[in-house]
């Protein structure tokens, strides 16, 4: 492919003016609420997550002040329980994960040379869900109804309404809402990395940051859904008295621990790997050379992610597990240190082989690695079961956790903040203030958390609001408290530095002299992101490709114009980044915010037992989602193709596996299937824990007839949809519509048949865990049948309205993906509920 020059200044000026008109964000704060540009959404995301971090830090200071001296009475035990529960919950759910997603939403389009990620409205929806849920959970402490059962919320303390009040419902339903935003962001990031890379950027040329974000987003798909499944069981016990965790009625509290820690331990790496991704970007810049060992660090990142899902049981060593389980999970917990060490040594080797330019971002990076390594070494210690039995639930674990999180999340984010602030705002932060803050945070972290190792070994349990003077650990706790205030002073200096930033002069373009695509951004901060989408031949194109920046700026690559006045970017193939199509992105809209508000109403109103109002909000959410999809997706363009430059024309409409929408529904259903597997795991977990599961009095279960009937109807619905897709593709539109209509009938009938089994069998879900888990699986599958009917109805309406044709068939192809997963869900449910009791 030859690159020709476009030397007409008037042509370039006209192209730039059209791009500016399309991408200029709305003026004024109020109008920006409608914005769906990922850069604007990402900035709001970052600011909100940062505020939540400061809020959680204040809670931590109150706790440390309470523990500074023995037998202190600054706060009462109930308030202290609320403080440590909210501190952990906010830091993990409202800061660490959302912050990495926010930074990625800002950086990925620029790193990938794209105008935006493929679903900017989905990012906006995720932000509003995060904000509403975060305010709901965090604000509860001001009304003395904050959750008080720890960020892990172990039953039965938290599921018994006489032992825990409204706070447990606020935590569970509020954070379930936030988990929706996390999964939405993961879908956006995965599709963005796979489908929005610039031409030529094969997988082996991707920036390391993109690799890490891809790995972490996939981890979210498999880590968060088990917690969502656990949330479902948890709330059904609290709201409906279904005994999933009540041992007196066949439940088991350990089921919650399994579902929680299958999420909880991978989450440590979900927040750690994006920090390593920031190192992977700034270390080569300040080493002035390419990153060494690119294939090895990619494999190490994938290996870390894989192993992280085999470690959750090391949080449960004290629960009386079989010795074989202890040995396996202990070995796995130690093995994860190997790929982690590979990544750290790659950075050290790159610095060793390069010509290091010391800077404030690099100072934070090296300091954070030092702190993280200490946390990693204590992690290897607690991976040994006999040691864990002694240290479990002591302040030794608190020290280990905070060394890992401060060294693996907080300080790396500050490194990224100082590194990328010129990219986001065009202004550099102060080196003097930044280095002062670094040393305060570094010294404060060690002063605060290192003594906790000793106080823990001396026997101080975690989550206690005071301790007797006779323990002799008052000095250690005072040192920890002083250290916490030193950390707070360092963070305060960073906040001051950020506030002073707008007064400073514009920084030079690419002030660090980096080699990756994001630094094509111009200090004048043009709103379109990148002037033309480049052809990539290197991992560091600014360093390696001749006149690269000039050619991009002059529009000499691809898609340098916005002739039709639409926001557009290029879609490429997954493996080798061949140009496939031009996608038109969503315009600024209120729909994401309104949809998030409606969905938030479902969770919030359910918390206060306003079930009819919550149901109304659920119906409104579905209506909003349909309106959003109807007006904002699968638009039939005014022409089939669009020239992107250099004699290349790309289609404006694609469907099937080449399209971003197909990938989005596939990824979403992977998360859905993982949540469903968590519920199925619950069923078989009970079977392994109880000799009489199902109990003899309930051995017949829901019977065989109705589960098999529900399965047959689900298969009919699935086959009708697949056949309709093929009929529509063959221009037999009438037959396709008839088949879709039959599919709707079959889906609705599957709802009835799926619920009829446990209903007609008289299974009371409050009596025992068996009928409770049977009803849960039946309701889950029936709900999916209902969603299938809605989707099929949507497809039929689109066809009747002329918005879906044999050529433009993305709607039915995307719904077909859902139907595959629905049929699989129905099969697993039928076999589990209908056949398994007969075999068992």
């Amino acid at each position: 492919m030859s690159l020709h020059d476009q030397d007409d200044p008037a042509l370039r000026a006209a192209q730039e003016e059209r791009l500016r008109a399309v991408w200029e964000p709305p003026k004024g704060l109020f109008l920006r609420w409608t914005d769906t540009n990922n850069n604007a959404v990402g900035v709001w995301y970052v600011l909100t997550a940062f505020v939540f971090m400061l809020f959680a830090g204040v809670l931590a200071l109150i706790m440390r002040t309470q523990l500074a001296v023995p037998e202190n009475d600054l706060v009462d035990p109930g308030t202290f329980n609320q403080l440590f529960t909210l501190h952990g919950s906010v830091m993990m759910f409202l800061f660490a994960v959302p912050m990495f997603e926010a930074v990625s939403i800002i950086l990925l389009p620029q790193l990938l040379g794209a105008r935006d990620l493929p679903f900017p409205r989905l990012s906006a929806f995720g932000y509003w869900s995060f904000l509403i849920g975060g305010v709901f959970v965090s604000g509860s402490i001001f009304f003395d109804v904050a959750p008080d059962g720890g960020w892990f919320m172990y039953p039965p303390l938290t599921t018994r309404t006489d032992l825990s009040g409204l706070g447990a419902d606020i935590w569970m339903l509020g954070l379930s809402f936030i988990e929706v935003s996390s999964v939405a962001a993961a879908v956006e990031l995965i599709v963005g990395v796979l489908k929005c890379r610039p031409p030529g950027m094969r997988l082996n040329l991707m920036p390391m940051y993109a690799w890490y974000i891809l790995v972490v987003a996939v981890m979210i798909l498999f880590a968060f859904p088990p917690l969502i499944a656990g949330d479902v069981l948890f709330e059904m016990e609290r709201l409906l008295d279904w005994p999933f965790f009540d041992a007196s009625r066949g439940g088991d509290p350990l089921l919650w621990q399994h579902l929680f820690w299958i999420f909880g331990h991978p989450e440590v790496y979900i927040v750690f790997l994006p920090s390593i991704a920031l190192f992977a970007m700034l270390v080569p810049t300040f080493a002035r050379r390419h990153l060494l060992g690119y294939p090895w660090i990619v494999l190490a990142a994938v290996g870390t992610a894989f192993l992280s899902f085999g470690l959750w049981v090391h949080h449960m060593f004290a629960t009386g597990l079989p010795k074989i389980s202890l040995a396996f999970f202990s070995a796995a917990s130690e093995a994860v240190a190997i790929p982690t060490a590979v990544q750290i040594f790659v950075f050290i080797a790159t610095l060793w082989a390069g010509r290091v330019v010391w800077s404030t971002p690099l100072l934070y990076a090296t300091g954070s690695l030092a702190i993280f390594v200490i946390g990693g070494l204590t992690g290897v210690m607690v991976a040994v079961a006999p040691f864990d039995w002694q240290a479990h639930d002591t302040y030794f674990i608190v020290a280990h956790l905070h060394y890992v999180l401060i060294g693996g999340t907080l300080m790396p984010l500050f490194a990224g903040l100082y590194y990328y602030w010129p990219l986001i705002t065009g202004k550099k932060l102060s080196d003097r203030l930044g280095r002062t803050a670094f040393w305060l945070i570094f010294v404060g972290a060690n002063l605060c958390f290192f003594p906790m190792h000793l106080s823990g070994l001396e026997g101080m349990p975690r989550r206690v609001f005071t301790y007797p003077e006779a323990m002799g650990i008052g000095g250690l706790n005072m040192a920890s408290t002083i250290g916490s205030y030193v950390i707070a002073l360092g963070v305060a200096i960073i906040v001051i530095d950020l506030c002073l930033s707008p007064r400073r002069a514009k920084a030079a373009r690419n002030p660090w002299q980096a080699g990756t695509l994001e630094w094509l951004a111009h200090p004048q901060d043009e709103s379109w992101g990148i002037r033309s989408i480049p052809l990539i031949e290197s991992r560091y194109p600014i360093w390696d490709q001749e006149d690269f920046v000039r050619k991009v700026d002059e529009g000499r690559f691809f898609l340098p114009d916005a002739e039709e006045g639409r926001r557009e970017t290029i879609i490429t193939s997954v493996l080798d980044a061949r140009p496939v199509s031009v996608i038109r992105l969503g315009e600024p809209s209120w729909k994401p915010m309104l949809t998030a508000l409606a969905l938030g109403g479902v969770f919030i109103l359910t918390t206060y037992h306003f079930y009819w109002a919550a149901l109304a909000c659920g119906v409104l959410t579905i209506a909003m989602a349909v309106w959003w999809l109807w007006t904002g997706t699968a638009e039939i363009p005014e022409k089939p193709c669009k020239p992107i430059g250099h004699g290349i024309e790309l289609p404006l409409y694609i469907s099937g596996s080449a399209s971003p929408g197909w990938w989005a529904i596939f990824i979403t259903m992977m998360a859905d299937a993982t949540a469903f597997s968590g519920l199925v795991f619950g069923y078989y977990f009970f079977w392994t824990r109880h000799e009489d599961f199902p109990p003899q009095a309930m051995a017949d279960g829901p019977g065989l007839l109705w589960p098999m009937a529900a399965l047959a109807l689900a298969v009919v619905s699935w086959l009708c949809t697949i056949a309709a897709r093929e009929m529509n593709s063959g221009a037999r539109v009438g037959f396709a519509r008839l088949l879709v209509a039959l599919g709707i009938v079959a889906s609705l009938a599957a709802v009835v048949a799926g619920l009829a089994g446990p209903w007609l069998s008289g299974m009371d879900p409050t009596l025992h865990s068996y009928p409770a888990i049977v009803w849960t699986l039946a309701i889950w599958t029936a709900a999916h049948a209902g969603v299938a009917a809605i989707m099929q109805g949507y497809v039929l309406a689109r066809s009747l309205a002329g918005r879906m044709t044999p050529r433009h068939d993305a709607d039915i192809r995307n719904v077909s993906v859902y139907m595959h997963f629905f049929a699989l869900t129905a099969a697993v449910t039928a076999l589990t509920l209908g056949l398994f009791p007969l075999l068992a």
Side-chain angles (χ1 to χ4, degrees):
M1 181 185 301
S2 63
L3 300 180
H4 68 276
D5 292 345
Q6 296 177 355
D7 293 322
D8 185 349
L11 173 62
R12 292 203 300 269
Q15 291 175 341
E16 290 185 8
E17 186 57 36
R18 284 190 287 268
L19 284 170
R20 187 175 295 109
V22 169
W23 289 95
E24 187 69 28
K27 301 296 183 185
L29 180 64
F30 182 76
L31 289 178
R32 276 185 179 271
W33 290 2
T34 69
D35 201 10
T36 52
N37 182 304
N38 267 313
N39 191 58
V41 172
V43 170
W44 279 105
Y45 234 134
V46 167
L47 292 175
T48 307
F50 194 78
V51 169
F52 281 129
M53 184 269 289
L54 296 177
F55 170 70
V58 171
L59 300 181
L61 288 178
I62 298 173
M63 286 190 290
R64 282 311 324 162
T65 305
Q66 164 67 19
L67 293 171
V69 295
E71 300 174 7
N72 199 359
D73 60 356
L74 176 66
V75 297
D76 60 72
T79 302
F80 190 86
N81 289 345
Q82 293 184 25
L83 289 171
F84 74 71
T85 300
L86 264 191
H87 168 73
S89 300
V90 170
M91 280 298 194
M92 296 303 287
F93 291 101
L94 298 177
F95 168 63
V97 174
M99 180 61 84
F100 112 72
E101 292 175 333
V103 171
S104 302
I105 286 171
I106 294 173
L107 292 183
L108 267 183
Q110 301 181 68
L111 269 167
L112 300 176
R115 293 271 160 70
D116 209 335
L117 296 177
F119 310 113
R121 290 185 177 183
L122 184 63
S123 296
F125 168 77
Y127 167 72
W128 289 111
S129 300
F130 157 69
L131 176 64
I132 296 166
V135 171
F136 177 60
V137 173
S138 301
S140 61
I141 197 168
F142 299 109
F143 302 94
D144 198 31
V145 290
D148 58 3
W151 81 283
F152 40 79
M153 298 295 283
Y154 283 166
L157 175 65
T158 53
T159 49
R160 285 181 53 180
T161 54
D162 58 324
L163 296 178
S164 58
L166 190 63
D169 295 311
I170 291 174
W171 186 93
M172 191 61 57
L173 291 166
L175 293 182
S176 296
F177 188 33
I178 294 164
E179 288 153 18
V180 171
S181 74
S182 296
V183 173
V187 172
E188 173 83 319
L189 297 175
I190 293 172
V191 179
V193 171
L194 293 179
K195 298 297 294 180
C196 290
R197 303 196 308 276
M201 184 182 278
R202 304 183 302 276
L203 290 178
N204 66 328
L205 294 183
M206 283 202 315
M208 281 307 311
Y209 188 89
W211 266 114
Y212 273 103
I213 295 309
L214 177 62
V215 169
V216 169
V218 172
M219 289 177 69
I220 288 175
L221 293 184
F222 294 100
F224 276 72
L227 180 60
I228 294 173
D231 292 347
V232 170
L233 303 182
F234 188 102
E235 273 307 306
M236 283 186 165
E237 176 152 339
R238 280 189 60 87
L239 299 180
L240 303 176
D241 194 32
W242 293 14
F244 300 106
F245 311 113
D246 184 350
S248 66
R249 291 182 287 169
D252 196 325
L254 285 183
L255 173 60
W256 169 260
Q257 290 198 35
H258 281 291
L259 293 174
F260 183 86
W261 289 117
I262 288 173
F263 147 80
H265 200 85
E267 193 196 21
V268 173
Y269 296 94
I270 286 170
V271 301
F272 165 65
L273 290 176
S275 303
I276 291 289
L278 292 172
F279 295 165
M281 302 309 293
L282 65 88
V283 165
T285 296
F286 297 115
R288 295 293 186 258
R289 62 154 298 131
H290 291 202
L291 185 69
L292 290 175
Y294 180 96
W296 291 105
I297 198 169
V298 171
L299 289 174
V302 174
T304 301
F306 178 78
L307 287 173
S308 72
F309 283 91
L311 313 182
W312 82 91
V313 174
H314 83 214
H315 294 272
M316 302 168 61
F317 281 168
T319 60
L321 297 169
K323 291 181 180 179
I324 186 67
S325 297
L326 292 176
F328 174 82
F329 287 102
S330 179
S333 301
E334 294 178 15
V336 77
I338 298 172
T340 305
V342 168
Q343 296 165 78
I344 293 173
F345 281 112
V346 163
F347 299 139
I348 295 173
T350 301
L351 291 170
W352 186 277
R355 293 173 285 107
V356 176
V357 177
W358 281 101
S359 64
T360 303
L362 189 58
L363 184 64
Y364 277 95
T366 53
S368 66
L369 283 178
I371 291 178
F372 178 80
V373 166
I374 295 174
L377 292 174
T378 57
V380 173
M381 294 170 66
V382 298
V384 180
F387 181 85
D388 181 80
W389 292 334
Q390 307 305 314
H392 189 76
D393 270 351
T394 70
Y395 260 76
F396 189 94
I397 304 300
V398 177
H400 157 68
L401 175 65
H402 284 82
Y403 263 94
V404 168
L405 293 180
I406 288 179
T409 301
L410 187 64
M411 290 184 68
L413 282 170
F414 289 151
L417 179 70
Y418 276 84
Y419 183 65
Y420 279 119
W421 194 252
L423 180 71
I424 297 170
T425 67
K427 312 286 184 71
K428 283 187 71 174
L429 295 173
S430 166
D431 284 330
R432 180 172 58 85
L433 291 177
R435 295 184 185 215
T436 301
F438 165 78
W439 286 112
L440 287 170
I441 294 171
F442 184 81
V443 172
N446 285 285
L447 179 60
C448 179
F449 296 109
F450 194 85
M452 290 184 186
H453 294 104
L454 305 178
S455 60
L457 293 176
E458 289 289 335
M460 182 175 179
R462 62 194 301 193
R463 299 185 288 274
V464 293
F465 85 107
T466 190
Y467 52 94
E469 187 173 0
M471 289 187 69
I473 55 176
L476 293 172
N477 276 287
M478 178 59 75
S480 292
T481 299
I482 293 171
S484 69
Y485 277 91
V486 174
I487 296 172
L489 179 58
V491 174
I493 290 175
I494 292 176
V495 173
I496 293 170
D497 198 4
L498 294 174
C499 293
L500 294 175
S501 173
R503 301 183 180 183
R504 300 187 179 116
K506 285 280 187 180
R509 186 180 191 182
N510 192 4
W512 310 117
Q513 300 302 306
T516 43
L517 281 179
E518 74 271 27
W519 292 104
L520 289 170
H522 203 279
Q524 275 65 45
D525 194 28
E526 295 287 9
S527 54
W528 57 68
I530 192 168
R531 174 67 179 84
S532 59
I533 297 175
L535 176 67
I536 300 302
E537 301 169 357
S538 164
R539 293 174 189 144
Y540 299 89
I542 294 178
W543 288 346
D544 299 341
Q545 293 182 224
E546 186 177 356
D547 291 331
F548 182 77
V549 176
R550 179 180 63 83
K551 290 177 180 177
V552 170
D553 287 348
E554 293 179 356
R556 300 187 180 188
F557 285 106
F558 303 109
L559 209 63
D561 202 350
E563 291 178 276
E564 295 84 17
R566 301 293 300 273
R567 299 183 180 197
E568 297 170 329
T569 195
I570 294 176
I571 296 299
T572 54
S573 58
V574 171
L575 296 179
D576 54 1
R578 289 179 294 101
V580 173
S581 73
V582 173
I583 183 176
R584 288 178 167 172
L585 305 167
E587 301 293 332
S589 171
W590 289 98
K591 297 184 187 73
M593 185 179 72
L594 295 177
T595 307
L597 285 170
L599 183 60
V602 175
F603 289 96
I604 294 171
L605 292 170
T606 301
T607 302
Y608 296 99
H609 304 175
F610 298 136
Y611 298 122
W612 287 108
L615 180 61
C617 282
V619 174
L620 180 60
T621 300
I622 294 172
M624 288 295 306
V626 170
W627 179 37
W628 175 355
L629 293 170
W630 187 274
T631 58
T633 61
E635 174 189 354
I636 297 178
E638 76 284 355
K639 58 184 179 181
C641 295
K642 176 184 177 70
I644 64 169
H646 310 289
I648 299 176
E649 285 194 350
L650 293 179
L652 285 167
Y653 189 104
I654 55 172
S655 62
S657 59
S659 71
W662 186 95
W663 279 91
I665 191 70
F666 176 80
I667 293 165
T668 303
M669 293 313 300
M670 288 295 294
D672 178 87
T674 306
F676 174 64
S677 68
L679 298 178
V680 175
F681 169 81
Y683 182 99
Y684 289 103
F685 176 80
F686 289 137
W687 176 65
T688 61
R689 298 285 290 181
H690 302 294
E691 293 182 1
D692 59 341
F693 190 88
Q696 191 63 37
M698 308 175 185
D700 294 336
L704 185 62
L705 173 63
W706 289 109
M708 291 299 116
L711 173 59
L713 289 165
V715 170
V716 169
S717 177
W718 168 61
L719 290 174
C720 284
T721 304
I722 302 306
R725 182 192 67 192
E726 298 306 315
M727 288 289 183
N728 183 75
S729 178
R732 303 177 71 178
V733 176
F735 284 108
R737 292 171 179 170
L738 177 60
L739 286 167
V740 171
L742 290 175
I744 295 172
V745 174
S747 295
L748 294 175
V751 174
V752 176
L755 298 177
W759 177 268
L760 295 177
S761 300
M763 303 184 74
D764 184 350
T766 64
L767 294 179
H768 192 273
S769 62
Y770 175 66
I773 195 67
V774 167
W775 268 108
T776 302
L777 290 172
I779 291 171
W780 179 277
T781 307
H784 281 67
V787 172
I790 294 171
M791 286 186 163
Q792 291 163 325
Y794 176 83
V795 166
L796 182 59
R798 294 278 288 188
S799 178
L800 292 171
R803 291 174 177 259
M804 188 185 80
T805 69
R807 166 67 182 83
H808 305 97
D809 60 349
D811 295 306
I812 195 167
R813 290 192 178 276
N814 293 346
V815 169
S816 296
V817 177
Y818 175 88
M819 296 303 296
H820 294 326
F821 282 88
F822 165 56
L824 179 62
T825 298
V828 172
T829 301
L831 294 175
T832 299
L833 302 187
L835 282 181
F836 185 77
L838 301 179
L839 299 176

